[in-house]
Amino acid sequence: MTSIPWESLRSKISGQIDATEGVRGAYATDASVYQTFPNAVAFPKSDNDVEQIVSFCRAHGVPIIGRGGGTSLSGQAIGTGLVVDFSRFMNAILEVDVANQLAIVEPGVVLDDLNFRLAPLGLHFPPDPATASRATIGGMIGNNACGTRSIVYGRTCDSIESLRCLLADGTWIETTWLDHAAWANRCLGHSREARLYHQIDQLIEHHKDEIHSRIPDLPRNAAGYSLRALLPEHARRSLSSLIVGGEGTLGLVTRTTLRLQPLPRATVVVVSRFASINAALSALPQILRSNPSAVELLDELLIGEAQRNAATRERMSRIIPVDEVPQAVLLVEFMGDSPTAAQTAGERYVTQMIASGAGELAGGNQSANAHQVLTDPVSQQQAWEVRRLALGLVSNLPGKAKAVALIEDACIPIDKLPEYNRFVFAQGDKWDLGVSAYAHASVGVLHYKVILDLHQTHDRQVMRAVAEACFEKCLEVGGVFSGEHGDGIVRGEFLPKQFGSQIYQAFVNVKQIFDPQGLMNPGRKIAAPPLDSHLRYGDDESARKRYVEVTADLTGNYRYANQDGLVGAIEQCNGVGACRQNIKGTMCPSYRATRDERDSTRGRANLLRLAISGQLNPPGLANAELHESLDLCLACKACKSECPNAVDMAKLKSEALQARWDVAGISRTAKFLGRAPQKIAQLSRWRSAVGWLATQSWSKKWLQSWYGIDARRTMPFPARRSFDDWWRKQTHPLQRLWPLSNQSISLKNPGSLNDADQSQPPVVALFVDTWHRYLEPQIPQAIVELLWSLNVAVVVPAPYDALRSRLSWGLLRESKSLGDQLFEDLEPLSQLGIPILCIEPSEASALVDDLPDLVPNAARAQRVATRVQMVDAFIVEQCAKQSGVLNPRSEFAKRHVTIHPHCHHRALFAEQTVQKLLSMAGFSTTISQWGCCGMAGSFGYTHFDLSQKIAETKFAPTIRKLHADDQLIVTTGISCRHQALDTTGIQTYHWAELITS
């Protein structure tokens, strides 16, 4: 690796080349179980860059691995040599031709981003893989992606008009669809392109009989190269048929013209519940006769995980009741020219199913009760979101055994699917393995996942045995082992036996015609390595043993109680890459701004795993390149709820920071900002002086040089009067004293909302955090007055903070002891059944999520945590119980309110309660979808430029627009309010400032 002169290439391109260990480690895996360190990673910006990269690699014999979102399940997006990542810079939508329904795009364009742009035009690019939120067009071309609606729209190859592709020898080719005469004309002459067409033409002619007899004509076939598509019997042919699905082994695509389709005018989804998977599969012939646009299977394991997982729990409740886990569900979609037509088609399907008795329905009840017709778009979208998150959900099992993509891609004739399904589950029984099945029942491609612990020698042996057995059964029933995910490492070795020696030799010849030097993604399609090599936990047995030994006794400060310890928490990431999405949700804010893989949750998890297993130098959680990646994590906790694997990178970052402090000592910045709550409490005594200093340029420069606080950031300073100043002067009859005493609170009726004795008002404890106590005291004041108006007695515990700052800065040893004391002090509240109400979401998340997993007395912490809730949720509850009335403050009446929940609010609490509360006060409301504001506590102080860049993606521009439209903006976190004011100069509000009783 060191002999490759990357500097000479770097000087020739406008893009970037990175050969650092951290970047190589982040690109060593994709969404498969495999791992291979590349020599370097390139990020081209133009066709010229790509041409220079290929020329350099050709001269130095360096393999080239094209990569988009890295969502490959078969190991196609990893390899030694140079990884070329198109997603960072070459991601432009170059042209949209509405009249001709065409779009010209670069390979790094993400499918959801493209369709978001096309939707207002009434168009879309129709292939819809589950990874649409991060799958790039280039990656979809490499794998010939399909998705749920391929029975209507076909595969990616069916929507490609033309490709611009660079071959390894430097030749550019432009593919397009050609009739017989045009094809024959392309074969004439002596140019490299003419020779290529001529050689392919001869190859097809030579093997056409074998192609007919050995390659099954199935709706999906991603095995080898698509020779069937080039048979002369087709009226039109294109070389794109070989490149699409070629897994990057033939060339690098830099531009694509896509055929678009009109968006469906209306759809309905019918949720059909069955007594077993085989009952569902047996019903498929009947279902397909009703002309659905999609038929997707969800099995019992997936449904159960979806009901438990934070990312899908609420969505799943729209589909299946929370107390019901059917053995199998089919999501059957129908399209129509109008909502009525679509609904009629769905209801006709239900009637036909009942009349025909097709499939044994759940509970043996052959009635309409087994079919739920979803007509509203929101419920349909939620159903499809659950389906899209399926891979992560079935991989989210606790412990080291995980669902493995091994036999998940076979395409089986529909009439043979029940037989094949029985065989697969029999293999599970034989080897005592968990098996899950889901996905594309409509085309006979069920994604079977087997539960294996690939740390163990035995399970690696079982991996091979199960793959070989299922491959033989697939051949027996006339299927093909690679239906849509491709061959890669996991299935490449089966190609010779799948098609025979002649067809395999034809594949070899295709590769040689396009890429004589074998530079393009070698070892994929042709000469693939064994399926049980190159695994994440070691290439060979000795490497695996080293991995297991190194990580066996590794423990953290947190217990990671729900994730099998620190190692389990890190390995929870399986690489599906949902953190790389740009439009939906919040994660991952820094990745959205930088497009750097190391700034995604997946990239960070990869580096953490490599660090703990000694694969980074130096090994361990204090590794500098690991911390370069973690430094830009905002600890927003969006990954905890939006990642289908529930990876909590905020917690893992704080763990790694503590390891760093243990080695190098706590930094000045960590000491200052981690302990900031105590400093604010102290500085509040000198408010005037602090306020003056906060505005002086010399003091800002000093803070920047000494503590890393950017001088451009506006510094907060204590309010003129703290909350404590106000509280001490109150004499309200519902004011309660702290510490608790028999005089200050009735032990007979201490505040249980369910207490039959309602003679006394309920009592709550308002946890006034440091920030609101000293910086925004008007908010807790308004909340106290609102609670009193609702006849709720309020006790305010002494000044505490929930240690969020310390946790974020990795001061875990301090947080352990302080947190234990905090829970000891708050325990009387839990013993009395008093709700502990939080104003700041990040403080609440520390109390309910982080500290209980950290402090020594976990049982006591958990008892207290069960009493903690957001104050908005309590007030909504209380108003419902008492028929309480809320009103808008007069100055805000009749104005629309957009609510921007703090990231921790979205991740761990019900953001909708704020909307309900404001609706009760008569406001019309909307919940924002702007992602993270970019402040994230002290992050915005130490990372000003990135913080601003994140804010300017959606947060700040939307606030400016809403303000111009005279709308109110409510933000539930103090960081969000500070960022809005600092970035836009516009004041946003806490909901308590808008309402009265």
Side-chain angles (χ1 to χ4, degrees):
M1 182 186 70
T2 55
S3 63
I4 302 173
W6 297 116
E7 280 300 325
S8 66
L9 174 59
R10 191 175 285 115
S11 66
K12 296 177 182 177
I13 65 173
S14 58
Q16 300 168 357
I17 302 286
D18 199 321
T20 59
E21 190 174 41
V23 168
R24 293 170 52 237
Y27 282 83
T29 59
D30 49 16
S32 71
V33 296
Y34 300 104
Q35 175 180 299
T36 302
F37 271 76
N39 288 342
V41 183
F43 306 94
K45 289 186 175 180
S46 64
D47 281 7
N48 179 68
D49 280 1
V50 177
E51 191 168 334
Q52 292 294 332
I53 287 167
V54 170
S55 175
F56 175 90
C57 290
R58 183 171 65 250
H60 293 86
V62 177
I64 303 167
I65 303 97
R67 179 162 167 143
T71 57
S72 160
L73 289 169
S74 308
Q76 297 102 317
I78 59 172
T80 58
L82 181 68
V83 168
V84 182
D85 182 351
F86 289 97
S87 67
R88 184 179 295 183
F89 298 124
M90 292 187 69
N91 51 29
I93 301 169
L94 300 171
E95 183 182 337
V96 176
D97 181 346
V98 177
N100 293 304
Q101 297 184 355
L102 297 172
I104 303 174
V105 302
E106 291 182 320
V109 171
V110 172
L111 176 59
D112 270 1
D113 295 356
L114 172 63
N115 282 335
F116 182 78
R117 163 88 176 271
L118 295 174
L121 305 174
L123 298 170
H124 69 144
F125 183 59
D128 58 340
T131 54
S133 65
R134 61 271 193 198
T136 64
I137 298 300
M140 294 174 65
I141 288 169
N143 265 21
N144 198 9
C146 306
T148 57
R149 299 177 179 88
S150 63
I151 51 175
V152 174
Y153 296 121
R155 301 165 292 169
T156 294
C157 62
D158 300 311
S159 295
I160 299 294
E161 184 67 23
S162 66
L163 297 173
R164 176 167 166 79
C165 181
L166 180 63
L167 306 185
D169 63 3
T171 301
W172 287 99
I173 62 170
E174 299 270 356
T175 71
T176 190
W177 290 93
L178 306 170
D179 60 21
H180 290 294
W183 179 273
N185 190 55
R186 288 287 181 99
C187 295
L188 300 176
H190 302 287
S191 68
R192 169 73 166 106
E193 185 178 27
R195 293 199 310 274
L196 183 134
Y197 271 90
H198 179 67
Q199 289 172 308
I200 292 296
D201 192 61
Q202 285 189 317
L203 182 145
I204 296 297
E205 181 63 30
H206 180 72
H207 292 287
K208 64 181 180 182
D209 292 338
E210 193 78 359
I211 292 170
H212 276 294
S213 63
R214 295 304 301 260
I215 300 180
D217 187 12
L218 292 168
R220 295 195 185 177
N221 181 357
Y225 298 108
S226 298
L227 302 183
R228 259 189 173 277
L230 294 183
L231 288 168
E233 63 203 48
H234 298 294
R236 298 167 73 243
R237 292 177 288 173
S238 172
L239 281 184
S240 64
S241 299
L242 296 178
I243 296 167
V244 178
E247 300 178 19
T249 60
L250 304 183
L252 293 178
V253 174
T254 66
R255 188 168 301 186
T256 307
T257 302
L258 308 174
R259 294 185 201 150
L260 309 177
Q261 295 282 347
L263 283 166
R265 294 182 180 178
T267 59
V268 300
V269 173
V270 183
V271 183
S272 295
R273 302 191 287 281
F274 292 86
S276 67
I277 295 176
N278 257 36
L281 300 182
S282 298
L284 280 175
Q286 169 71 34
I287 294 171
L288 292 173
R289 284 194 289 273
S290 62
N291 296 317
S293 51
V295 185
E296 296 286 305
L297 174 75
L298 310 179
D299 77 342
E300 180 184 18
L301 189 149
L302 193 155
I303 293 167
E305 283 300 312
Q307 290 175 333
R308 286 185 286 271
N309 190 284
T312 51
R313 190 182 303 121
E314 184 179 347
R315 293 168 176 147
M316 197 66 197
S317 67
R318 291 176 176 264
I319 309 168
I320 302 293
V322 293
D323 57 347
E324 180 185 346
V325 185
Q327 294 289 308
V329 160
L330 289 179
L331 302 179
V332 187
E333 182 190 74
F334 295 89
M335 295 179 179
D337 290 334
S338 67
T340 300
Q343 184 170 348
T344 299
E347 291 171 349
R348 185 186 304 119
Y349 152 75
V350 173
T351 302
Q352 291 171 348
M353 286 289 289
I354 295 168
S356 67
E360 183 187 354
L361 300 181
N365 184 12
Q366 200 76 27
S367 72
N369 293 333
H371 305 279
Q372 179 186 2
V373 182
L374 306 178
T375 56
D376 68 290
V378 173
S379 294
Q380 293 182 52
Q381 181 185 12
Q382 301 287 27
W384 289 125
E385 281 298 314
V386 171
R387 163 60 193 92
R388 290 186 184 103
L389 292 169
L391 172 60
L393 289 169
V394 298
S395 303
N396 197 29
L397 303 173
K400 293 187 179 300
K402 302 293 183 186
V404 174
L406 174 68
I407 55 169
E408 89 291 355
D409 203 34
C411 181
I412 306 296
I414 293 294
D415 62 332
K416 298 291 185 179
L417 201 51
E419 177 186 346
Y420 184 76
N421 180 71
R422 284 191 293 270
F423 179 86
V424 171
F425 276 89
Q427 288 293 302
D429 293 339
K430 175 181 178 180
W431 296 104
D432 193 24
L433 300 175
V435 179
S436 176
Y438 66 92
H440 315 302
S442 58
V443 289
V445 180
L446 294 187
H447 295 330
Y448 292 99
K449 297 294 165 57
V450 291
I451 314 301
L452 292 165
D453 178 4
L454 295 181
H455 301 83
Q456 302 301 321
T457 301
H458 172 266
D459 282 29
R460 292 184 178 212
Q461 294 168 345
V462 171
M463 176 186 184
R464 172 163 290 282
V466 170
E468 289 177 346
C470 291
F471 171 71
E472 294 294 340
K473 185 65 179 178
C474 173
L475 281 187
E476 179 188 322
V477 298
V480 62
F481 213 36
S482 297
E484 64 168 336
H485 294 162
D487 300 311
I489 300 173
V490 74
R491 282 175 291 275
E493 67 173 86
F494 294 108
L495 282 176
K497 194 169 184 180
Q498 171 85 63
F499 299 117
S501 59
Q502 278 196 47
I503 292 297
Y504 182 71
Q505 185 57 49
F507 293 158
V508 171
N509 292 343
V510 168
K511 170 70 171 172
Q512 290 174 339
I513 291 168
F514 275 84
D515 178 24
Q517 282 185 258
L519 292 181
M520 294 293 178
N521 211 7
R524 309 298 178 261
K525 295 290 185 188
I526 305 304
L531 68 91
D532 46 3
S533 64
H534 299 85
L535 294 168
R536 285 191 184 193
Y537 308 125
D539 277 4
D540 52 38
E541 196 59 27
S542 61
R544 181 198 62 76
K545 287 180 179 178
R546 284 196 303 274
Y547 184 99
V548 172
E549 288 169 2
V550 168
T551 60
D553 300 321
L554 189 61
T555 58
N557 290 279
Y558 293 103
R559 280 178 291 277
Y560 304 96
N562 300 320
Q563 295 175 304
D564 195 34
L566 172 60
V567 177
I570 292 171
E571 291 182 352
Q572 197 71 9
C573 174
N574 72 342
V576 295
C579 45
R580 288 173 56 98
Q581 59 194 351
N582 295 311
I583 295 176
K584 302 172 185 175
T586 299
M587 69 170 180
C588 182
S590 53
Y591 170 76
R592 294 186 181 197
T594 67
R595 298 296 182 98
D596 189 326
E597 175 72 15
R598 291 171 299 174
D599 297 334
S600 68
T601 302
R602 178 177 71 179
R604 294 179 180 119
N606 268 332
L607 292 177
L608 281 162
R609 179 175 52 80
L610 295 171
I612 63 172
S613 60
Q615 297 180 75
L616 291 185
N617 186 36
L621 291 177
N623 178 276
E625 291 204 53
L626 167 63
H627 281 275
E628 185 180 334
S629 168
L630 291 172
D631 183 52
L632 298 189
C633 170
L634 283 77
C636 67
K637 280 190 178 285
C639 49
K640 184 175 176 68
S641 62
E642 294 179 21
C643 169
N645 296 96
V647 175
D648 190 344
M649 191 51 62
K651 186 179 286 187
L652 292 169
K653 175 183 179 179
S654 64
E655 186 77 70
L657 280 170
Q658 180 66 77
R660 184 181 184 184
W661 309 145
D662 289 345
V663 171
I666 304 172
S667 71
R668 280 198 302 263
T669 303
K671 290 177 182 178
F672 183 75
L673 292 174
R675 299 165 184 166
Q678 285 67 43
K679 291 179 174 61
I680 290 176
Q682 295 162 7
L683 292 172
S684 66
R685 300 171 190 170
W686 300 282
R687 296 182 185 91
S688 298
V690 171
W692 177 78
L693 284 169
T695 62
Q696 301 305 302
S697 60
W698 64 266
S699 62
K700 289 186 173 186
K701 289 177 182 177
W702 177 79
L703 286 171
Q704 180 166 309
S705 64
W706 198 246
Y707 293 118
I709 296 172
D710 199 289
R712 293 168 291 178
R713 179 63 73 183
T714 302
M715 294 298 295
F717 50 87
R720 185 177 61 83
R721 185 176 67 163
S722 73
F723 172 81
D724 293 333
D725 294 337
W726 176 84
W727 178 252
R728 280 192 294 267
K729 295 179 180 179
Q730 301 308 301
T731 58
H732 198 284
L734 290 175
Q735 184 181 26
R736 296 292 183 261
L737 304 179
W738 178 270
L740 297 176
S741 67
N742 289 343
Q743 289 73 39
S744 67
I745 189 166
S746 166
L747 298 182
K748 180 181 177 184
N749 182 20
S752 170
L753 296 180
N754 297 316
D755 200 312
D757 180 5
Q758 297 296 323
S759 60
Q760 296 185 48
V763 180
V764 299
L766 186 64
F767 192 95
V768 184
D769 55 89
T770 301
W771 317 110
H772 287 99
R773 194 176 290 268
Y774 298 109
L775 301 182
E776 293 188 342
Q778 76 280 5
I779 291 171
Q781 290 171 26
I783 289 171
V784 168
E785 290 174 342
L786 182 59
L787 289 167
W788 283 344
S789 73
L790 294 172
N791 196 38
V792 176
V794 180
V795 60
V796 177
Y800 291 114
D801 77 276
L803 308 173
R804 170 54 62 200
S805 299
R806 278 182 165 86
L807 293 168
S808 295
W809 279 98
L811 304 180
L812 300 187
R813 306 224 192 285
E814 296 178 16
S815 299
K816 274 188 181 183
S817 57
L818 292 171
D820 218 36
Q821 183 63 53
L822 172 61
F823 286 122
E824 182 180 339
D825 290 347
L826 295 178
E827 187 170 30
L829 297 170
S830 67
Q831 290 174 336
L832 292 168
I834 296 175
I836 302 170
L837 308 183
C838 289
I839 304 169
E840 180 63 27
S842 63
E843 298 283 300
S845 70
L847 289 173
V848 303
D849 188 46
D850 296 297
L851 288 173
D853 199 37
L854 178 68
V855 298
N857 193 333
R860 177 174 61 200
Q862 196 56 50
R863 288 194 299 271
V864 173
T866 58
R867 296 294 176 187
V868 175
Q869 64 182 122
M870 292 299 297
V871 63
D872 48 274
F874 175 86
I875 291 175
V876 168
E877 225 175 274
Q878 192 68 5
C879 286
K881 287 177 179 292
Q882 295 185 354
S883 300
V885 177
L886 302 176
N887 296 296
R889 294 189 183 275
S890 58
E891 63 267 36
F892 300 122
K894 298 182 181 179
R895 293 172 69 184
H896 185 83
V897 178
T898 298
I899 304 158
H900 180 73
H902 183 281
C903 290
H904 288 206
H905 206 150
R906 288 188 195 271
L908 295 171
F909 306 101
E911 62 187 33
Q912 291 82 4
T913 55
V914 178
Q915 187 175 34
K916 290 178 183 176
L917 191 153
L918 289 169
S919 297
M920 288 177 175
F923 289 102
S924 61
T925 61
T926 305
I927 296 181
S928 84
Q929 300 298 325
W930 311 336
C932 181
C933 74
M935 179 62 87
S938 60
F939 183 89
Y941 292 88
T942 57
H943 300 80
F944 181 83
D945 290 324
L946 180 59
S947 173
Q948 296 300 98
K949 190 172 183 179
I950 293 169
E952 290 294 345
T953 54
K954 290 183 182 178
F955 180 78
T958 310
I959 284 179
R960 294 185 190 104
K961 182 180 184 304
L962 294 177
H963 181 71
D965 294 338
D966 197 35
Q967 293 191 31
L968 294 167
I969 301 102
V970 160
T971 47
T972 66
I974 192 168
S975 290
C976 311
R977 290 190 290 279
H978 187 174
Q979 179 77 321
L981 189 62
D982 216 28
T983 306
T984 68
I986 296 167
Q987 180 183 359
T988 61
Y989 299 89
H990 189 274
W991 56 261
E993 298 176 280
L994 271 58
I995 61 175
T996 185
S997 62

